[in-house]
Amino acid sequence: MTAEPAAPVYRSASSGEPAPAEERGRTVIGEDAVAAIAARAAAEVSGVAGLGGGVRRGRRRVRARVRITGNGGTATLRLRIAVAYPRSARETSRRVREHTAAEVERMTGMSVRCVDIEIAELVRGGRAV
């Protein structure tokens, strides 16, 4: 039987006690990673028919752009989506906004300030209307 190596214990310089997590290092989540999370989340919403570029979900594609502000704790998202015709563009964009913000916050811990959505086209049966 082999033993797994012990995880390193980071010690506080002043007390010798285990250091708090915020003193052990820093994690940075880049804009491209957040954009990929946002695009995948948007593609999960029923009624999103996709768009060229971005992340592919089956035959659907979604474009996403992200701007991270402040100390990396706040994100502003911009999505370009295609909506399946005759779905409601307003209802689909509302569901995309809610789901995308929730997923980005859950997966990154960032606060999503706003989600701007551009309905780039309506798609019927895989073809633009």
Side-chain angles (χ1 to χ4, degrees):
M1 181 161 107
T2 60
E4 299 225 359
V9 176
Y10 299 94
R11 303 272 177 201
S12 174
S14 60
S15 69
E17 295 295 316
E22 61 272 5
E23 293 180 11
R24 295 182 202 162
R26 192 175 95 144
T27 301
V28 176
I29 302 171
E31 290 181 356
D32 289 346
V34 178
I37 293 167
R40 288 179 190 272
E44 292 171 356
V45 175
S46 176
V48 173
L51 188 62
V55 173
R56 183 181 288 272
R57 179 178 179 235
R59 295 171 62 193
R60 301 183 301 172
R61 301 189 100 171
V62 179
R63 283 189 194 176
R65 286 188 295 187
V66 174
R67 192 176 85 220
I68 299 173
T69 59
N71 63 359
T74 304
T76 298
L77 310 176
R78 179 165 170 75
L79 300 167
R80 290 189 63 195
I81 64 172
V83 174
Y85 182 84
R87 299 273 184 132
S88 165
R90 172 182 256 166
E91 179 62 20
T92 301
S93 63
R94 182 191 63 76
R95 288 195 328 267
V96 166
R97 187 172 285 112
E98 290 174 358
H99 184 65
T100 302
E103 285 299 289
V104 168
E105 287 175 358
R106 181 184 69 81
M107 295 182 76
T108 67
M110 291 180 177
S111 172
V112 175
R113 192 177 96 214
C114 72
V115 180
D116 294 327
I117 298 174
E118 176 186 343
I119 308 294
E121 63 183 320
L122 299 176
V123 177
R124 180 189 305 177
R127 294 175 45 191
V129 176

